Amino acid sequence: MSFDAGGVVARIADHLCDTAARDGDRCTWLGTTQEADDGSDEVEFVYGTIGPELYGGNAGVALFLAEAARRGGSRRWGETALAGLGHALDRVDTVPPALCPSFHLGLAGLVYAAAAVARALDDDETEERAAALADALVANAGEGIMTDPLAGATGAIPALLSLSERLDRPALADLALELGRRTVAAASRSDDGWSWPPAIEAVRPLTGISHGAAGIGLSLLELGAATGRPEMLEAAHGAFAYEGRWFRPREDNWPDFREEDGDPPCCVAWCHGAPGIGLTRLRAVELGFDGYRHEADAALRSTRAALADRDGWIDGDWSLCHGRAGLMEVLRYAGEEPLWAAAEDAAERFGERLEDWPCGVRRGSNPSLMLGLAGIGWCYLGLADPTLSPILLVPGGRS
């Protein structure tokens, strides 16, 4: 690598510290978010404080700053991480009950972030808060949104398995198993595989890691591997079989059924399309299911091609969720060089004016992990230190 990825990390971390809105020993951040109006193509852009969650809120920013501080960064990064996380944990009562079990949007992600920050900064108080919140999660998981990997309980299963070990909370593993049982019970089974009703607008059950069969299948695969439950493995393979039914060899990709039923397009992002699906197949191979290697290889081809396309749509988005940083994280997980030239080029173009770095909203800057600067920082932190765990994939049983 011919450029200083750690320098990009430092600029982003310093910027997040400089722009934090502080109140005593707590802080938060402001940024642009976007919300689509149901039933129309109109998008509303809002500039304001971010929420507490891992995906687009304080917990994700704090996680990046803590991991950067752990790797020899400024003491201020760690202090700001604790202040941002403290604000997030103080606001757990603002998480809608339907999102409570979610990893990305709910309490499961807050527990994960708190445990990770506590470990990174060796902070006993934060560890205690993580454990207490884990107990509250078990007591209040409820029904919520069930099978959606992003907003629902099923997507939290790998994190619950990991946190059960990290926090010495067997009840979290019990909760993961219960969520797995509910997920299996909610499946529609056919000769084409197993599928689940989409939680967002779509013409048929979705493919993909964020809202579709790939994310559900991965959670059940992790659960089956961790518990030895054959019914979980059967359901996981059924989910992957549903996606296999729709695979397009000419495109090395899977269709996005949010759009149309006749000839739906394929996306190339972590959230929808080959990169995210490829992550699940790479993990399946890692768990010993080598039959998914051909799908993983196809997904990696699509991911490489998208990153190499300097003039493509994705050049205007560097987020982890649906931008270039997410694609680079996929290749990093695969053990490949994630096109260093693209990373160096972006560092030169945007590194000194961070507000101009394209985030995962259509206008304005965003500080968060999955949509904004903290996630871009995470990508460069992984380039500087390949041992950094991939936040886009939380293997069960690892903390």
Side-chain angles (χ1 to χ4, degrees), residues 24 76 88 99 136 150 180 192 221 232 247 273 339 360:
R76 186 172 70 134
L99 299 178
L150 187 75
D192 290 335
L221 196 71
M232 300 302 166
F247 177 64
L339 298 187

Side-chain angles (χ1 to χ4, degrees), residues 174-304:
D174 294 339
L175 176 59
L177 184 57
E178 175 57 27
L179 296 177
R181 292 192 184 104
R182 296 183 198 171
T183 303
V184 170
S188 296
R189 313 178 193 190
S190 73
D191 293 340
D192 290 335
W194 294 37
S195 61
W196 287 260
I200 61 175
E201 187 173 349
V203 297
R204 66 175 62 247
L206 290 163
T207 64
I209 194 171
S210 65
H211 296 288
I216 296 170
L218 175 65
S219 289
L220 296 174
L221 196 71
E222 294 283 4
L223 185 59
T227 64
R229 301 272 178 156
E231 70 274 20
M232 300 302 166
L233 295 177
E234 179 188 8
H237 295 312
F240 290 169
Y242 172 77
E243 285 180 325
R245 155 74 175 79
W246 299 106
F247 177 64
R248 294 179 179 173
R250 291 184 180 180
E251 299 177 66
D252 281 330
N253 209 334
W254 293 257
D256 179 4
F257 292 120
R258 292 176 300 166
E259 302 295 332
E260 56 185 287
D261 198 16
D263 186 22
C266 295
C267 288
V268 191
W270 168 80
C271 51
H272 295 278
I277 293 173
L279 269 181
T280 68
R281 301 324 195 250
L282 287 168
R283 178 58 178 159
V285 171
E286 191 176 43
L287 288 172
F289 301 100
D290 201 60
Y292 294 110
R293 187 175 298 278
H294 70 288
E295 291 185 350
D297 290 342
L300 292 175
R301 287 193 294 269
S302 292
T303 304
R304 292 188 211 104

Side-chain angles (χ1 to χ4, degrees), residues 1 6 57 86 105 137 144 152 161 184 288 301-302 319 378 382:
M1 184 165 51
L105 304 180
L137 171 61
L161 294 171
V184 170
R301 287 193 294 269
S302 292
S319 69
W378 188 280

Side-chain angles (χ1 to χ4, degrees), residues 93-166:
D93 60 342
T94 68
V95 176
L99 299 178
C100 177
S102 167
F103 175 70
H104 288 282
L105 304 180
L107 297 193
L110 285 170
V111 176
Y112 183 88
V117 169
R119 179 182 58 184
L121 302 179
D122 194 22
D123 189 88
D124 292 339
E125 181 180 349
T126 301
E127 177 100 358
E128 291 173 2
R129 293 198 73 179
L133 187 57
D135 294 338
L137 171 61
V138 172
N140 298 289
E143 294 298 327
I145 298 172
M146 189 57 230
T147 57
D148 186 81
L150 187 75
T154 302
I157 288 173
L160 294 173
L161 294 171
S162 173
L163 288 165
S164 178
E165 293 186 5
R166 173 74 181 91

